[in-house]
Amino acid sequence: MKIDGKAFRTIWLAADGWSVEVIDQTKLPHRFEIARLTGRAEAAHAIKAMIVRGAPLIGATAAYGLALALREDACDSGLTESVAVLLATRPTAVNLRWALERLEARLRPLPAGERVAAAYAEAAAVADEDVEICRSIGAHGAGLIEALAAGKAKGRPVNVLTHCNAGWLATVDWGTALAPVYTAFERGVPLHVWVDETRPRNQGASLTAWELNKHGVPHTVIADNVGGHLMQHGMVDICIVGTDRTTATGDVCNKIGTYLKALAAHDTGVPFYVGAPSPSIDFRLRDGITEIPIEERDGRELSEITARTASGELVTVTVTPEGSPVGNWGFDVTPARLVTGLITERGICPATEAGLRSLFPKTT
Ligand code: MRU
């Protein structure tokens, strides 16, 4: 996607041909900064500290992180240790494990001397494939928005509600939930996006709003609790969210608060779709609520807010009373029965085992 007319991905190989550059998402929306990753420790830190985040981008960063790690130590034990270090960075998004298992399977049989070049090539393939997967999700999902537009008075926008950031910043390019929005927008469909602020880290208010704004897509940031009210008043035509891990049976794990939006959508009859790339589907799991590990993060993400003052300075303030404990769960699970459909790169299917198997008969 473009930032002020210049095409960017979220991760790329630097001009030196070996270090890796990423957009530092902890600085957005106030500052656009590029971070350079030069080794395993920096790659692991980038994922853990959410300099990069979003399931597909976490996977791509882990892949490049392994390439960087192998430059430091490419022997068998080095490979084992680096996979373990990168895998431990964040627990919920399955793309992390998916990418590392893919690279390990490719690299393990090779002699140590060939592993670095092969790791870079495989990481580049992971990144390029992610772009194509997201592009396809966009093409399939745009049809849903076009169909809704056809039922509206001419020129009236389709109102899409989204949660967290599942746009191009969360992937290598295009996004998952937002790919259908960008594709429909490019096709000239009138649309408008309700952007959940997504406390505690505000990925909606800071990242989704930023990228929609840069692309010129009409949108409005709303507090996390507003969605249900809008749905009751016919102001949402469709919800589209992303996923960090979807089970073989169609349970969807995504940013905390997604479940409440799905409940409201179910109650009000608003279709609830999930942009679900195949690397985010964990075919080994059947019950999302009991089997998916839910990340618990530092309570300061909740008790503090970093914001820009009128003079442009970035300040961090505390919003809770001193001494009040906080709990900070990062994700929740939306049961498959609340999901209208999964938008995958191979098409749209019901959130059921049969639905997923109809599109991915062989994937394990
Ligand atoms: O904690 P984050 O910001 O990594 O969480 C991101 C999300 O929950 C996204 O919705 C999900 O990764 C899908 S990204 C295309």
Side-chain angles (χ1 to χ4, degrees), residues 25 47 50 52-58 90 93 95 130 134 162-171 175-178 198 201 203 207 241-245 253-256 258 275 277 280 295 297 301 330-331:
Q25 302 194 23
I47 299 171
M50 295 176 67
V52 293
R53 30 66 54 204
L57 180 55
I58 289 171
R90 291 193 73 188
N95 305 59
D130 182 64
C134 290
T162 194
H163 192 68
C164 192
N165 171 260
W168 73 270
L169 287 170
T171 63
T176 57
L178 290 191
T198 319
R201 283 185 70 99
Q203 289 96 325
L207 303 177
V241 301
T243 180
D244 290 84
R245 197 186 293 229
C253 183
N254 191 50
K255 181 53 57 190
I256 193 81
T258 302
S280 301
E295 180 175 18
R297 296 184 58 87
E301 290 183 349
F331 299 91

Side-chain angles (χ1 to χ4, degrees), residues 188-330:
V189 179
L191 53 83
H192 165 264
V193 183
W194 297 111
V195 178
D196 283 350
E197 63 173 344
T198 319
R199 283 284 284 147
R201 283 185 70 99
N202 287 322
Q203 289 96 325
S206 56
L207 303 177
T208 300
W210 182 82
E211 60 167 88
L212 290 174
N213 196 27
K214 286 284 172 202
H215 205 76
V217 178
H219 64 282
T220 306
V221 179
I222 52 174
D224 277 336
N225 302 326
V226 174
H229 168 77
L230 296 181
M231 290 186 224
Q232 284 175 328
H233 288 269
M235 294 165 76
V236 180
D237 297 299
I238 184 170
C239 298
I240 314 180
V241 301
T243 180
D244 290 84
R245 197 186 293 229
T246 288
T247 64
T249 54
D251 290 343
V252 171
C253 183
N254 191 50
K255 181 53 57 190
I256 193 81
T258 302
Y259 170 49
L260 295 179
K261 294 296 138 48
L263 281 174
H266 188 71
D267 189 48
T268 54
V270 172
F272 188 92
Y273 282 90
V274 177
S278 59
S280 301
I281 302 170
D282 190 343
F283 285 96
R284 301 175 204 184
L285 302 189
R286 304 191 58 76
D287 180 6
I289 294 172
T290 58
E291 292 181 303
I292 297 178
I294 300 295
E295 180 175 18
E296 289 181 52
R297 296 184 58 87
D298 191 325
R300 280 174 299 182
E301 290 183 349
L302 188 59
S303 61
E304 297 177 352
I305 286 187
T306 300
R308 191 188 53 200
T309 64
S311 63
E313 192 192 355
L314 290 189
V315 292
T316 300
V317 297
T318 304
V319 292
T320 52
E322 211 173 303
S324 284
V326 297
N328 185 13
W329 287 268

Side-chain angles (χ1 to χ4, degrees), residues 3 10 65 104 149 151 170 302 319:
I3 302 171
T10 53
E104 192 176 6
L302 188 59
V319 292

Side-chain angles (χ1 to χ4, degrees), residues 62-127:
Y64 274 115
L66 193 57
L68 292 171
L70 293 178
R71 292 180 82 247
E72 297 162 1
D73 181 359
C75 71
D76 283 358
S77 60
L79 176 59
T80 304
E81 189 186 299
S82 292
V83 167
V85 165
L86 290 162
L87 196 56
T89 50
R90 291 193 73 188
T92 302
V94 72
N95 305 59
L96 179 64
R97 188 191 73 202
W98 170 85
L100 289 169
E101 283 182 352
R102 172 173 164 164
L103 261 76
E104 192 176 6
R106 167 86 182 89
L107 303 174
R108 182 74 67 188
L110 299 179
E114 292 176 21
R115 283 180 180 157
V116 173
Y120 274 104
E122 199 65 17
V126 165

